[in-house]
Each structure stands twice: as C-alpha cells, then as structure tokens.
Amino acid sequence: SAVISQKPSRDICQRGTSLTIQCQVDSQVTMMFWYRQQPGQSLTLIATANQGSEATYESGFVIDKFPISRPNLTFSTLTVSNMSPEDSSIYLCSVAWQGMNTEAFFGQGTRLTVV
Amino acid sequence: AQSVSQHNHHVILSEAASLELGCNYSYGGTVNLFWYVQYPGQHLQLLLKYFSGDPLVKGIKGFEAEFIKSKFSFNLRKPSVQWSDTAEYFCAVSSGTYKYIFGTGTRLKVLA
C-alpha cells in the first residue's frame, strides 16, 4: 500500500490565476495519475505521469492547461493554469505499481474553488 | 470507449437492511473491476477487487461483489448495513493499464 499526501487540501483561487497541487508518496511508485472530480460527477482521468517521460494526457485535457511534473519516483505536481470557475473540482493523485493483481491508491484530494 | 454505469445515485436504507448497488460496464476485453468507498471527509479506499478466478469476491467490512461476465456487471452487496456504511461508493474498471474508468458514484445513507 501507499500513503499519499496532497497539498493543499483545499484552496479558493481567483479566476485567471494558477494553482500547483503537490502529491507526495511515502514509497517509490512506477505510475502516478491525476484525476478530476467535478461537482456531482465521477472521477475523470486527466493524465498519467511516469517518471522520466512526458505526461500522457487524456482526451479533453491539454498540457498548457494542466502541466504536470514528475521529477522523481515519489513526487508529482499538477498545475491548473489560467483558472476559471469551471475548474472548480476535487483533484486527486493516484499511484500504482506495475505488476499482476495490483490496484491503485488515492490521495485525499485537493478541493479547488475558483471565484 | 469504455464506460461504467451505476444506476443508483442515492440510496437510503435503515440499519440491518440488505444492500445491492448495481454496476455495469462496457468493454469487450479483459477487465479488472473495483469498488471504492469514500467516507465523509476521507479519501477513496478500496473495498474489493476482481482480477480473475472466483467471480464472487469478498472485501472488507462484510461487502462482497459478483462478477457476471455475460451481463457485464459487478454488483456490490452487503447483507446487513450499518450506520457506519454511510458513504459514497464508486465502481471502477481498468483494462490492465492502471487507468481507471469510474462510475458516477452512489451516495448511501444508512438511518440509525
């Protein structure tokens, strides 16, 4: 298992600004993922962030809006750029190890409100 | 494209009632199936998972789920719910890439 810490846990931001969310894991992990949970909706994968390679974005998400860093095997950041009220969501970091019969683990999420 | 449907968005039960939450997915290949729970103010936690083998999977806290391949379903059950089971429940599917497709979630409220 993994203990995942996200910072900040919540924030209220002005539109047009950017927020960087940090995800710290207590052990080295192969794969890290960033999800978004908009109000009343399900979790949607934004991108996969593997160390040593560029992040891979899902349809509807672009690097200019959600730049991601993965400098090592225990840390990643997601930036929400040029925010608008539509970006108000919970953003979750998730980690997994490659191998058979393993599941992903999730951080507690960052609740972002854009005003 | 893969998708996951959870038909019950809100469920209210009395303590000791039986619970069944529906989950259907659309994907033609081999899938891994999960149920996660999110208690108020807490992070997502794994309830149970299915990768292969016995289609009846037992998880934590008395929960179980049955994988019915012909119906593309993975319904969650508990014979007798408790007040502490009040939470939001998410069904999820992955095709082995560790990218999860989540259902919309079911909010369960158990009345004491």
Side-chain angles (χ1 to χ4, degrees), chain A residues 31 33 35 37 42-43 45 58 97-99 101-104 106-108, chain B residues 34 36 38 42-44 46 49 51 88 90 97-100 102-104:
Chain A
M31 294 170 288
F33 308 88
Y35 287 83
Q37 185 177 19
S42 185
L43 288 82
L45 181 64
E58 298 299 305
W97 287 266
Q98 281 184 305
N101 297 348
T102 61
E103 71 270 17
F106 291 83
Q108 81 278 19
Chain B
F34 308 86
Y36 281 85
Q38 188 168 30
Q42 298 189 28
H43 62 275
L44 280 172
L46 182 68
K49 60 189 178 186
F51 290 97
E88 189 160 16
F90 292 93
T97 63
Y98 304 97
K99 297 194 300 185
Y100 284 31
F102 282 87
T104 50

PDB file of all heavy atoms in Angstrom, chain A residues 31 33 35 37 42-43 45 58 97-99 101-104 106-108, chain B residues 34 36 38 42-44 46 49 51 88 90 97-100 102-104:
ATOM      1  N   MET A  31       3.911   4.406 -11.397  1.00  0.00           N
ATOM      2  CA  MET A  31       2.934   5.202 -12.128  1.00  0.00           C
ATOM      3  C   MET A  31       2.177   6.126 -11.186  1.00  0.00           C
ATOM      4  O   MET A  31       1.768   5.740 -10.092  1.00  0.00           O
ATOM      5  CB  MET A  31       1.943   4.280 -12.834  1.00  0.00           C
ATOM      6  CG  MET A  31       2.611   3.450 -13.937  1.00  0.00           C
ATOM      7  SD  MET A  31       1.522   2.182 -14.559  1.00  0.00           S
ATOM      8  CE  MET A  31       1.532   1.064 -13.169  1.00  0.00           C
ATOM      9  N   PHE A  33      -1.029   9.129 -11.367  1.00  0.00           N
ATOM     10  CA  PHE A  33      -2.143   9.603 -12.184  1.00  0.00           C
ATOM     11  C   PHE A  33      -2.786  10.796 -11.497  1.00  0.00           C
ATOM     12  O   PHE A  33      -2.808  10.902 -10.276  1.00  0.00           O
ATOM     13  CB  PHE A  33      -3.201   8.496 -12.342  1.00  0.00           C
ATOM     14  CG  PHE A  33      -2.661   7.187 -12.828  1.00  0.00           C
ATOM     15  CD1 PHE A  33      -2.186   6.247 -11.928  1.00  0.00           C
ATOM     16  CD2 PHE A  33      -2.625   6.895 -14.175  1.00  0.00           C
ATOM     17  CE1 PHE A  33      -1.681   5.029 -12.366  1.00  0.00           C
ATOM     18  CE2 PHE A  33      -2.121   5.680 -14.626  1.00  0.00           C
ATOM     19  CZ  PHE A  33      -1.653   4.757 -13.728  1.00  0.00           C
ATOM     20  N   TYR A  35      -6.507  12.760 -11.356  1.00  0.00           N
ATOM     21  CA  TYR A  35      -7.930  12.688 -11.685  1.00  0.00           C
ATOM     22  C   TYR A  35      -8.606  13.992 -11.278  1.00  0.00           C
ATOM     23  O   TYR A  35      -8.156  14.707 -10.387  1.00  0.00           O
ATOM     24  CB  TYR A  35      -8.603  11.540 -10.924  1.00  0.00           C
ATOM     25  CG  TYR A  35      -8.274  10.159 -11.421  1.00  0.00           C
ATOM     26  CD1 TYR A  35      -7.103   9.520 -11.017  1.00  0.00           C
ATOM     27  CD2 TYR A  35      -9.142   9.475 -12.267  1.00  0.00           C
ATOM     28  CE1 TYR A  35      -6.809   8.234 -11.453  1.00  0.00           C
ATOM     29  CE2 TYR A  35      -8.854   8.191 -12.703  1.00  0.00           C
ATOM     30  CZ  TYR A  35      -7.689   7.584 -12.294  1.00  0.00           C
ATOM     31  OH  TYR A  35      -7.396   6.312 -12.728  1.00  0.00           O
ATOM     32  N   GLN A  37     -12.567  15.396 -10.168  1.00  0.00           N
ATOM     33  CA  GLN A  37     -13.943  15.059  -9.816  1.00  0.00           C
ATOM     34  C   GLN A  37     -14.733  16.348  -9.732  1.00  0.00           C
ATOM     35  O   GLN A  37     -14.668  17.075  -8.735  1.00  0.00           O
ATOM     36  CB  GLN A  37     -14.002  14.298  -8.499  1.00  0.00           C
ATOM     37  CG  GLN A  37     -15.396  13.810  -8.154  1.00  0.00           C
ATOM     38  CD  GLN A  37     -15.425  12.996  -6.866  1.00  0.00           C
ATOM     39  OE1 GLN A  37     -14.512  13.071  -6.046  1.00  0.00           O
ATOM     40  NE2 GLN A  37     -16.467  12.218  -6.683  1.00  0.00           N
ATOM     41  N   SER A  42     -18.429  11.991 -11.712  1.00  0.00           N
ATOM     42  CA  SER A  42     -17.483  10.939 -11.369  1.00  0.00           C
ATOM     43  C   SER A  42     -16.048  11.429 -11.510  1.00  0.00           C
ATOM     44  O   SER A  42     -15.791  12.551 -11.923  1.00  0.00           O
ATOM     45  CB  SER A  42     -17.720   9.746 -12.286  1.00  0.00           C
ATOM     46  OG  SER A  42     -16.895   8.679 -11.910  1.00  0.00           O
ATOM     47  N   LEU A  43     -15.130  10.561 -11.155  1.00  0.00           N
ATOM     48  CA  LEU A  43     -13.718  10.874 -11.334  1.00  0.00           C
ATOM     49  C   LEU A  43     -13.342  10.664 -12.798  1.00  0.00           C
ATOM     50  O   LEU A  43     -13.695   9.655 -13.401  1.00  0.00           O
ATOM     51  CB  LEU A  43     -12.849   9.958 -10.477  1.00  0.00           C
ATOM     52  CG  LEU A  43     -12.872  10.191  -8.980  1.00  0.00           C
ATOM     53  CD1 LEU A  43     -14.074   9.537  -8.335  1.00  0.00           C
ATOM     54  CD2 LEU A  43     -11.588   9.657  -8.349  1.00  0.00           C
ATOM     55  N   LEU A  45      -9.984  10.781 -15.458  1.00  0.00           N
ATOM     56  CA  LEU A  45      -8.530  10.803 -15.547  1.00  0.00           C
ATOM     57  C   LEU A  45      -8.075  11.985 -16.393  1.00  0.00           C
ATOM     58  O   LEU A  45      -8.549  12.164 -17.520  1.00  0.00           O
ATOM     59  CB  LEU A  45      -8.024   9.490 -16.147  1.00  0.00           C
ATOM     60  CG  LEU A  45      -6.516   9.344 -16.291  1.00  0.00           C
ATOM     61  CD1 LEU A  45      -5.841   9.340 -14.915  1.00  0.00           C
ATOM     62  CD2 LEU A  45      -6.173   8.064 -17.055  1.00  0.00           C
ATOM     63  N   GLU A  58      -5.240  12.612 -21.315  1.00  0.00           N
ATOM     64  CA  GLU A  58      -6.463  12.023 -21.854  1.00  0.00           C
ATOM     65  C   GLU A  58      -7.170  13.037 -22.750  1.00  0.00           C
ATOM     66  O   GLU A  58      -6.894  14.240 -22.704  1.00  0.00           O
ATOM     67  CB  GLU A  58      -7.381  11.590 -20.721  1.00  0.00           C
ATOM     68  CG  GLU A  58      -6.773  10.523 -19.831  1.00  0.00           C
ATOM     69  CD  GLU A  58      -6.441   9.243 -20.582  1.00  0.00           C
ATOM     70  OE1 GLU A  58      -7.352   8.671 -21.225  1.00  0.00           O
ATOM     71  OE2 GLU A  58      -5.270   8.808 -20.525  1.00  0.00           O
ATOM     72  N   TRP A  97       1.648   0.405  -8.811  1.00  0.00           N
ATOM     73  CA  TRP A  97       2.867  -0.298  -9.177  1.00  0.00           C
ATOM     74  C   TRP A  97       2.551  -1.255 -10.314  1.00  0.00           C
ATOM     75  O   TRP A  97       1.490  -1.885 -10.329  1.00  0.00           O
ATOM     76  CB  TRP A  97       3.396  -1.115  -7.997  1.00  0.00           C
ATOM     77  CG  TRP A  97       4.011  -0.297  -6.913  1.00  0.00           C
ATOM     78  CD1 TRP A  97       5.329   0.013  -6.771  1.00  0.00           C
ATOM     79  CD2 TRP A  97       3.329   0.310  -5.814  1.00  0.00           C
ATOM     80  NE1 TRP A  97       5.506   0.775  -5.653  1.00  0.00           N
ATOM     81  CE2 TRP A  97       4.307   0.978  -5.044  1.00  0.00           C
ATOM     82  CE3 TRP A  97       1.995   0.368  -5.400  1.00  0.00           C
ATOM     83  CZ2 TRP A  97       3.994   1.688  -3.884  1.00  0.00           C
ATOM     84  CZ3 TRP A  97       1.672   1.071  -4.268  1.00  0.00           C
ATOM     85  CH2 TRP A  97       2.665   1.716  -3.517  1.00  0.00           C
ATOM     86  N   GLN A  98       3.433  -1.365 -11.240  1.00  0.00           N
ATOM     87  CA  GLN A  98       3.230  -2.326 -12.316  1.00  0.00           C
ATOM     88  C   GLN A  98       3.346  -3.732 -11.769  1.00  0.00           C
ATOM     89  O   GLN A  98       4.150  -4.006 -10.899  1.00  0.00           O
ATOM     90  CB  GLN A  98       4.274  -2.119 -13.416  1.00  0.00           C
ATOM     91  CG  GLN A  98       3.960  -0.959 -14.325  1.00  0.00           C
ATOM     92  CD  GLN A  98       4.943  -0.833 -15.455  1.00  0.00           C
ATOM     93  OE1 GLN A  98       6.133  -0.754 -15.194  1.00  0.00           O
ATOM     94  NE2 GLN A  98       4.469  -0.813 -16.676  1.00  0.00           N
ATOM     95  N   GLY A  99       2.510  -4.606 -12.300  1.00  0.00           N
ATOM     96  CA  GLY A  99       2.554  -5.981 -11.857  1.00  0.00           C
ATOM     97  C   GLY A  99       1.168  -6.573 -11.886  1.00  0.00           C
ATOM     98  O   GLY A  99       0.183  -5.910 -12.169  1.00  0.00           O
ATOM     99  N   ASN A 101      -2.274  -8.112 -10.549  1.00  0.00           N
ATOM    100  CA  ASN A 101      -3.210  -8.058  -9.429  1.00  0.00           C
ATOM    101  C   ASN A 101      -2.889  -6.964  -8.418  1.00  0.00           C
ATOM    102  O   ASN A 101      -2.862  -7.197  -7.215  1.00  0.00           O
ATOM    103  CB  ASN A 101      -3.267  -9.414  -8.722  1.00  0.00           C
ATOM    104  CG  ASN A 101      -3.795 -10.484  -9.643  1.00  0.00           C
ATOM    105  OD1 ASN A 101      -4.314 -10.201 -10.713  1.00  0.00           O
ATOM    106  ND2 ASN A 101      -3.666 -11.722  -9.233  1.00  0.00           N
ATOM    107  N   THR A 102      -2.625  -5.799  -8.910  1.00  0.00           N
ATOM    108  CA  THR A 102      -2.424  -4.667  -8.010  1.00  0.00           C
ATOM    109  C   THR A 102      -3.462  -3.608  -8.320  1.00  0.00           C
ATOM    110  O   THR A 102      -3.984  -3.528  -9.428  1.00  0.00           O
ATOM    111  CB  THR A 102      -1.019  -4.061  -8.164  1.00  0.00           C
ATOM    112  OG1 THR A 102      -0.865  -3.580  -9.505  1.00  0.00           O
ATOM    113  CG2 THR A 102       0.054  -5.092  -7.870  1.00  0.00           C
ATOM    114  N   GLU A 103      -3.760  -2.821  -7.317  1.00  0.00           N
ATOM    115  CA  GLU A 103      -4.736  -1.774  -7.515  1.00  0.00           C
ATOM    116  C   GLU A 103      -4.089  -0.412  -7.321  1.00  0.00           C
ATOM    117  O   GLU A 103      -2.961  -0.301  -6.858  1.00  0.00           O
ATOM    118  CB  GLU A 103      -5.908  -1.931  -6.541  1.00  0.00           C
ATOM    119  CG  GLU A 103      -5.573  -1.617  -5.092  1.00  0.00           C
ATOM    120  CD  GLU A 103      -5.094  -2.832  -4.327  1.00  0.00           C
ATOM    121  OE1 GLU A 103      -4.710  -3.840  -4.969  1.00  0.00           O
ATOM    122  OE2 GLU A 103      -5.077  -2.770  -3.096  1.00  0.00           O
ATOM    123  N   ALA A 104      -4.810   0.626  -7.676  1.00  0.00           N
ATOM    124  CA  ALA A 104      -4.331   1.983  -7.487  1.00  0.00           C
ATOM    125  C   ALA A 104      -4.738   2.497  -6.104  1.00  0.00           C
ATOM    126  O   ALA A 104      -5.718   2.046  -5.522  1.00  0.00           O
ATOM    127  CB  ALA A 104      -4.908   2.892  -8.575  1.00  0.00           C
ATOM    128  N   PHE A 106      -5.237   6.161  -3.737  1.00  0.00           N
ATOM    129  CA  PHE A 106      -5.620   7.547  -3.980  1.00  0.00           C
ATOM    130  C   PHE A 106      -5.256   8.444  -2.805  1.00  0.00           C
ATOM    131  O   PHE A 106      -5.346   8.034  -1.639  1.00  0.00           O
ATOM    132  CB  PHE A 106      -7.122   7.633  -4.235  1.00  0.00           C
ATOM    133  CG  PHE A 106      -7.534   7.019  -5.539  1.00  0.00           C
ATOM    134  CD1 PHE A 106      -7.737   5.659  -5.654  1.00  0.00           C
ATOM    135  CD2 PHE A 106      -7.692   7.810  -6.666  1.00  0.00           C
ATOM    136  CE1 PHE A 106      -8.092   5.078  -6.861  1.00  0.00           C
ATOM    137  CE2 PHE A 106      -8.060   7.243  -7.874  1.00  0.00           C
ATOM    138  CZ  PHE A 106      -8.255   5.882  -7.978  1.00  0.00           C
ATOM    139  N   GLY A 107      -4.903   9.672  -3.137  1.00  0.00           N
ATOM    140  CA  GLY A 107      -4.729  10.687  -2.122  1.00  0.00           C
ATOM    141  C   GLY A 107      -6.085  11.204  -1.658  1.00  0.00           C
ATOM    142  O   GLY A 107      -7.130  10.801  -2.175  1.00  0.00           O
ATOM    143  N   GLN A 108      -6.064  12.111  -0.690  1.00  0.00           N
ATOM    144  CA  GLN A 108      -7.319  12.605  -0.116  1.00  0.00           C
ATOM    145  C   GLN A 108      -7.946  13.691  -0.985  1.00  0.00           C
ATOM    146  O   GLN A 108      -9.076  14.094  -0.753  1.00  0.00           O
ATOM    147  CB  GLN A 108      -7.101  13.123   1.314  1.00  0.00           C
ATOM    148  CG  GLN A 108      -6.530  14.526   1.410  1.00  0.00           C
ATOM    149  CD  GLN A 108      -5.009  14.573   1.257  1.00  0.00           C
ATOM    150  OE1 GLN A 108      -4.383  13.645   0.735  1.00  0.00           O
ATOM    151  NE2 GLN A 108      -4.408  15.650   1.718  1.00  0.00           N
TER     152      GLN A 108
ATOM    153  N   PHE B  34     -13.329  -2.966  -9.661  1.00  0.00           N
ATOM    154  CA  PHE B  34     -13.089  -2.471  -8.314  1.00  0.00           C
ATOM    155  C   PHE B  34     -14.343  -1.792  -7.768  1.00  0.00           C
ATOM    156  O   PHE B  34     -15.144  -1.230  -8.516  1.00  0.00           O
ATOM    157  CB  PHE B  34     -11.957  -1.423  -8.310  1.00  0.00           C
ATOM    158  CG  PHE B  34     -10.695  -1.877  -8.985  1.00  0.00           C
ATOM    159  CD1 PHE B  34     -10.540  -1.725 -10.356  1.00  0.00           C
ATOM    160  CD2 PHE B  34      -9.665  -2.438  -8.260  1.00  0.00           C
ATOM    161  CE1 PHE B  34      -9.382  -2.136 -10.996  1.00  0.00           C
ATOM    162  CE2 PHE B  34      -8.498  -2.855  -8.883  1.00  0.00           C
ATOM    163  CZ  PHE B  34      -8.361  -2.697 -10.248  1.00  0.00           C
ATOM    164  N   TYR B  36     -14.712   1.122  -4.767  1.00  0.00           N
ATOM    165  CA  TYR B  36     -14.070   2.000  -3.808  1.00  0.00           C
ATOM    166  C   TYR B  36     -15.150   2.670  -2.962  1.00  0.00           C
ATOM    167  O   TYR B  36     -16.282   2.893  -3.421  1.00  0.00           O
ATOM    168  CB  TYR B  36     -13.250   3.084  -4.512  1.00  0.00           C
ATOM    169  CG  TYR B  36     -11.909   2.622  -5.013  1.00  0.00           C
ATOM    170  CD1 TYR B  36     -11.798   2.004  -6.256  1.00  0.00           C
ATOM    171  CD2 TYR B  36     -10.754   2.803  -4.261  1.00  0.00           C
ATOM    172  CE1 TYR B  36     -10.561   1.580  -6.735  1.00  0.00           C
ATOM    173  CE2 TYR B  36      -9.517   2.379  -4.728  1.00  0.00           C
ATOM    174  CZ  TYR B  36      -9.431   1.771  -5.964  1.00  0.00           C
ATOM    175  OH  TYR B  36      -8.206   1.353  -6.425  1.00  0.00           O
ATOM    176  N   GLN B  38     -15.819   6.061  -0.281  1.00  0.00           N
ATOM    177  CA  GLN B  38     -15.305   7.337   0.233  1.00  0.00           C
ATOM    178  C   GLN B  38     -16.206   7.773   1.374  1.00  0.00           C
ATOM    179  O   GLN B  38     -17.354   8.184   1.156  1.00  0.00           O
ATOM    180  CB  GLN B  38     -15.289   8.387  -0.869  1.00  0.00           C
ATOM    181  CG  GLN B  38     -14.593   9.667  -0.471  1.00  0.00           C
ATOM    182  CD  GLN B  38     -14.340  10.576  -1.668  1.00  0.00           C
ATOM    183  OE1 GLN B  38     -15.090  10.577  -2.642  1.00  0.00           O
ATOM    184  NE2 GLN B  38     -13.266  11.349  -1.607  1.00  0.00           N
ATOM    185  N   GLN B  42     -13.035  11.749   3.930  1.00  0.00           N
ATOM    186  CA  GLN B  42     -11.873  10.874   3.801  1.00  0.00           C
ATOM    187  C   GLN B  42     -11.556  10.587   2.330  1.00  0.00           C
ATOM    188  O   GLN B  42     -12.300  10.937   1.441  1.00  0.00           O
ATOM    189  CB  GLN B  42     -12.124   9.568   4.557  1.00  0.00           C
ATOM    190  CG  GLN B  42     -12.319   9.767   6.047  1.00  0.00           C
ATOM    191  CD  GLN B  42     -12.358   8.450   6.798  1.00  0.00           C
ATOM    192  OE1 GLN B  42     -11.762   7.460   6.367  1.00  0.00           O
ATOM    193  NE2 GLN B  42     -13.040   8.442   7.922  1.00  0.00           N
ATOM    194  N   HIS B  43     -10.425   9.924   2.119  1.00  0.00           N
ATOM    195  CA  HIS B  43     -10.025   9.617   0.751  1.00  0.00           C
ATOM    196  C   HIS B  43     -10.644   8.304   0.284  1.00  0.00           C
ATOM    197  O   HIS B  43     -11.213   7.559   1.078  1.00  0.00           O
ATOM    198  CB  HIS B  43      -8.501   9.546   0.656  1.00  0.00           C
ATOM    199  CG  HIS B  43      -7.902   8.461   1.503  1.00  0.00           C
ATOM    200  ND1 HIS B  43      -7.609   8.628   2.840  1.00  0.00           N
ATOM    201  CD2 HIS B  43      -7.567   7.184   1.215  1.00  0.00           C
ATOM    202  CE1 HIS B  43      -7.107   7.517   3.318  1.00  0.00           C
ATOM    203  NE2 HIS B  43      -7.073   6.617   2.362  1.00  0.00           N
ATOM    204  N   LEU B  44     -10.536   8.065  -0.982  1.00  0.00           N
ATOM    205  CA  LEU B  44     -11.038   6.826  -1.555  1.00  0.00           C
ATOM    206  C   LEU B  44     -10.292   5.621  -0.980  1.00  0.00           C
ATOM    207  O   LEU B  44      -9.074   5.627  -0.884  1.00  0.00           O
ATOM    208  CB  LEU B  44     -10.834   6.817  -3.070  1.00  0.00           C
ATOM    209  CG  LEU B  44     -11.825   7.577  -3.930  1.00  0.00           C
ATOM    210  CD1 LEU B  44     -11.339   7.607  -5.369  1.00  0.00           C
ATOM    211  CD2 LEU B  44     -13.209   6.963  -3.857  1.00  0.00           C
ATOM    212  N   LEU B  46     -10.151   1.222  -1.096  1.00  0.00           N
ATOM    213  CA  LEU B  46     -10.558   0.038  -1.838  1.00  0.00           C
ATOM    214  C   LEU B  46     -11.420  -0.860  -0.960  1.00  0.00           C
ATOM    215  O   LEU B  46     -11.030  -1.226   0.147  1.00  0.00           O
ATOM    216  CB  LEU B  46      -9.331  -0.731  -2.308  1.00  0.00           C
ATOM    217  CG  LEU B  46      -9.600  -1.976  -3.144  1.00  0.00           C
ATOM    218  CD1 LEU B  46     -10.179  -1.593  -4.500  1.00  0.00           C
ATOM    219  CD2 LEU B  46      -8.328  -2.786  -3.324  1.00  0.00           C
ATOM    220  N   LYS B  49     -11.816  -6.034  -5.018  1.00  0.00           N
ATOM    221  CA  LYS B  49     -11.321  -6.013  -6.386  1.00  0.00           C
ATOM    222  C   LYS B  49     -11.488  -7.395  -7.004  1.00  0.00           C
ATOM    223  O   LYS B  49     -11.500  -8.416  -6.308  1.00  0.00           O
ATOM    224  CB  LYS B  49      -9.848  -5.614  -6.421  1.00  0.00           C
ATOM    225  CG  LYS B  49      -8.957  -6.568  -5.634  1.00  0.00           C
ATOM    226  CD  LYS B  49      -7.547  -6.040  -5.506  1.00  0.00           C
ATOM    227  CE  LYS B  49      -6.695  -6.993  -4.662  1.00  0.00           C
ATOM    228  NZ  LYS B  49      -5.349  -6.453  -4.386  1.00  0.00           N
ATOM    229  N   PHE B  51      -9.801  -9.568 -10.273  1.00  0.00           N
ATOM    230  CA  PHE B  51      -8.877  -9.662 -11.393  1.00  0.00           C
ATOM    231  C   PHE B  51      -9.153 -10.915 -12.208  1.00  0.00           C
ATOM    232  O   PHE B  51      -9.167 -10.882 -13.442  1.00  0.00           O
ATOM    233  CB  PHE B  51      -7.427  -9.665 -10.901  1.00  0.00           C
ATOM    234  CG  PHE B  51      -6.977  -8.344 -10.344  1.00  0.00           C
ATOM    235  CD1 PHE B  51      -7.008  -8.107  -8.986  1.00  0.00           C
ATOM    236  CD2 PHE B  51      -6.534  -7.337 -11.183  1.00  0.00           C
ATOM    237  CE1 PHE B  51      -6.601  -6.877  -8.474  1.00  0.00           C
ATOM    238  CE2 PHE B  51      -6.125  -6.110 -10.668  1.00  0.00           C
ATOM    239  CZ  PHE B  51      -6.158  -5.894  -9.309  1.00  0.00           C
ATOM    240  N   GLU B  88     -19.999   7.302   0.044  1.00  0.00           N
ATOM    241  CA  GLU B  88     -20.213   7.257  -1.401  1.00  0.00           C
ATOM    242  C   GLU B  88     -19.409   6.090  -1.960  1.00  0.00           C
ATOM    243  O   GLU B  88     -18.255   5.888  -1.596  1.00  0.00           O
ATOM    244  CB  GLU B  88     -19.799   8.566  -2.080  1.00  0.00           C
ATOM    245  CG  GLU B  88     -20.203   8.634  -3.540  1.00  0.00           C
ATOM    246  CD  GLU B  88     -20.252  10.045  -4.100  1.00  0.00           C
ATOM    247  OE1 GLU B  88     -19.687  10.961  -3.471  1.00  0.00           O
ATOM    248  OE2 GLU B  88     -20.845  10.231  -5.181  1.00  0.00           O
ATOM    249  N   PHE B  90     -18.028   3.923  -5.305  1.00  0.00           N
ATOM    250  CA  PHE B  90     -17.669   4.058  -6.716  1.00  0.00           C
ATOM    251  C   PHE B  90     -17.255   2.710  -7.283  1.00  0.00           C
ATOM    252  O   PHE B  90     -16.399   2.021  -6.716  1.00  0.00           O
ATOM    253  CB  PHE B  90     -16.498   5.026  -6.887  1.00  0.00           C
ATOM    254  CG  PHE B  90     -16.806   6.444  -6.563  1.00  0.00           C
ATOM    255  CD1 PHE B  90     -16.575   6.942  -5.289  1.00  0.00           C
ATOM    256  CD2 PHE B  90     -17.322   7.298  -7.523  1.00  0.00           C
ATOM    257  CE1 PHE B  90     -16.852   8.269  -4.979  1.00  0.00           C
ATOM    258  CE2 PHE B  90     -17.601   8.618  -7.228  1.00  0.00           C
ATOM    259  CZ  PHE B  90     -17.373   9.101  -5.951  1.00  0.00           C
ATOM    260  N   THR B  97      -4.224  -1.270 -17.669  1.00  0.00           N
ATOM    261  CA  THR B  97      -3.270  -0.184 -17.843  1.00  0.00           C
ATOM    262  C   THR B  97      -3.168   0.689 -16.599  1.00  0.00           C
ATOM    263  O   THR B  97      -2.443   1.659 -16.607  1.00  0.00           O
ATOM    264  CB  THR B  97      -3.699   0.721 -19.017  1.00  0.00           C
ATOM    265  OG1 THR B  97      -4.959   1.307 -18.690  1.00  0.00           O
ATOM    266  CG2 THR B  97      -3.819  -0.077 -20.295  1.00  0.00           C
ATOM    267  N   TYR B  98      -3.930   0.353 -15.567  1.00  0.00           N
ATOM    268  CA  TYR B  98      -3.992   1.122 -14.328  1.00  0.00           C
ATOM    269  C   TYR B  98      -4.705   2.447 -14.502  1.00  0.00           C
ATOM    270  O   TYR B  98      -4.776   3.246 -13.582  1.00  0.00           O
ATOM    271  CB  TYR B  98      -2.598   1.344 -13.722  1.00  0.00           C
ATOM    272  CG  TYR B  98      -1.891   0.038 -13.506  1.00  0.00           C
ATOM    273  CD1 TYR B  98      -0.985  -0.434 -14.445  1.00  0.00           C
ATOM    274  CD2 TYR B  98      -2.156  -0.737 -12.396  1.00  0.00           C
ATOM    275  CE1 TYR B  98      -0.357  -1.658 -14.272  1.00  0.00           C
ATOM    276  CE2 TYR B  98      -1.529  -1.960 -12.214  1.00  0.00           C
ATOM    277  CZ  TYR B  98      -0.633  -2.412 -13.161  1.00  0.00           C
ATOM    278  OH  TYR B  98      -0.020  -3.611 -12.993  1.00  0.00           O
ATOM    279  N   LYS B  99      -5.221   2.725 -15.683  1.00  0.00           N
ATOM    280  CA  LYS B  99      -6.091   3.882 -15.851  1.00  0.00           C
ATOM    281  C   LYS B  99      -7.505   3.415 -15.545  1.00  0.00           C
ATOM    282  O   LYS B  99      -7.994   2.468 -16.146  1.00  0.00           O
ATOM    283  CB  LYS B  99      -6.008   4.406 -17.289  1.00  0.00           C
ATOM    284  CG  LYS B  99      -4.619   4.903 -17.655  1.00  0.00           C
ATOM    285  CD  LYS B  99      -4.612   5.724 -18.926  1.00  0.00           C
ATOM    286  CE  LYS B  99      -5.088   4.986 -20.125  1.00  0.00           C
ATOM    287  NZ  LYS B  99      -4.940   5.799 -21.362  1.00  0.00           N
ATOM    288  N   TYR B 100      -8.122   4.082 -14.618  1.00  0.00           N
ATOM    289  CA  TYR B 100      -9.426   3.665 -14.153  1.00  0.00           C
ATOM    290  C   TYR B 100     -10.531   4.473 -14.820  1.00  0.00           C
ATOM    291  O   TYR B 100     -10.426   5.687 -14.965  1.00  0.00           O
ATOM    292  CB  TYR B 100      -9.539   3.870 -12.645  1.00  0.00           C
ATOM    293  CG  TYR B 100      -8.817   2.840 -11.800  1.00  0.00           C
ATOM    294  CD1 TYR B 100      -7.660   2.203 -12.233  1.00  0.00           C
ATOM    295  CD2 TYR B 100      -9.294   2.515 -10.533  1.00  0.00           C
ATOM    296  CE1 TYR B 100      -7.019   1.277 -11.447  1.00  0.00           C
ATOM    297  CE2 TYR B 100      -8.654   1.601  -9.733  1.00  0.00           C
ATOM    298  CZ  TYR B 100      -7.513   0.981 -10.203  1.00  0.00           C
ATOM    299  OH  TYR B 100      -6.879   0.066  -9.418  1.00  0.00           O
ATOM    300  N   PHE B 102     -14.293   5.384 -13.875  1.00  0.00           N
ATOM    301  CA  PHE B 102     -15.159   5.335 -12.702  1.00  0.00           C
ATOM    302  C   PHE B 102     -16.618   5.522 -13.081  1.00  0.00           C
ATOM    303  O   PHE B 102     -16.950   6.241 -14.031  1.00  0.00           O
ATOM    304  CB  PHE B 102     -14.785   6.439 -11.715  1.00  0.00           C
ATOM    305  CG  PHE B 102     -13.573   6.135 -10.891  1.00  0.00           C
ATOM    306  CD1 PHE B 102     -12.306   6.437 -11.366  1.00  0.00           C
ATOM    307  CD2 PHE B 102     -13.699   5.547  -9.643  1.00  0.00           C
ATOM    308  CE1 PHE B 102     -11.186   6.153 -10.613  1.00  0.00           C
ATOM    309  CE2 PHE B 102     -12.580   5.260  -8.884  1.00  0.00           C
ATOM    310  CZ  PHE B 102     -11.328   5.557  -9.363  1.00  0.00           C
ATOM    311  N   GLY B 103     -17.485   4.910 -12.321  1.00  0.00           N
ATOM    312  CA  GLY B 103     -18.900   5.220 -12.387  1.00  0.00           C
ATOM    313  C   GLY B 103     -19.176   6.535 -11.679  1.00  0.00           C
ATOM    314  O   GLY B 103     -18.289   7.133 -11.069  1.00  0.00           O
ATOM    315  N   THR B 104     -20.399   6.975 -11.760  1.00  0.00           N
ATOM    316  CA  THR B 104     -20.769   8.281 -11.213  1.00  0.00           C
ATOM    317  C   THR B 104     -20.917   8.270  -9.703  1.00  0.00           C
ATOM    318  O   THR B 104     -21.065   9.319  -9.098  1.00  0.00           O
ATOM    319  CB  THR B 104     -22.074   8.779 -11.836  1.00  0.00           C
ATOM    320  OG1 THR B 104     -23.050   7.736 -11.743  1.00  0.00           O
ATOM    321  CG2 THR B 104     -21.883   9.149 -13.292  1.00  0.00           C
TER     322      THR B 104
END
